[in-house]
Amino acid sequence: DRSSAASDVYKRQEWTTEQGGFDLLVEVPANTTARIYVPAPAGSRVCESGLEVAQCKDVESLGTEDGYRVFGVGSGIYRFSVR
């Protein structure tokens, strides 16, 4: 279960679903890196803090795995949305 694994790594994690969309807030502790698994069906739009992830210099797209888009990030606060 990805949510329980994530809660062991992240300083803070919150998520909500709304009208076919998904929002995820993650805080990665200082001096660490993390892989963030975002549930995103094929063809969905994934943004971080309102920008397409391809435009975010601090977010590295690592591919897909079992219906999740996988992103590599450093320490900080990230707000992912899927629509």
Side-chain angles (χ1 to χ4, degrees):
D1 176 288
R2 296 203 192 288
S3 62
S4 62
S7 64
D8 294 340
V9 176
Y10 304 135
K11 186 173 181 180
R12 178 173 55 154
Q13 169 187 315
E14 300 170 13
W15 60 271
T16 58
T17 58
E18 174 182 313
Q19 298 179 358
F22 179 83
D23 296 303
L24 174 67
L25 179 129
V26 176
E27 184 173 355
V28 179
N31 303 314
T32 62
T33 60
R35 286 184 180 205
I36 299 177
Y37 290 74
V38 178
S44 59
R45 181 175 176 235
V46 181
C47 295
E48 195 286 309
S49 295
L51 293 174
E52 295 272 350
V53 291
Q55 299 174 347
C56 298
K57 62 178 180 147
D58 297 331
V59 178
E60 180 183 4
S61 182
L62 302 175
T64 60
E65 186 178 318
D66 299 325
Y68 291 83
R69 294 273 308 272
V70 184
F71 301 100
V73 298
S75 57
I77 297 173
Y78 299 90
R79 292 172 179 85
F80 288 90
S81 63
V82 179
R83 300 289 182 269

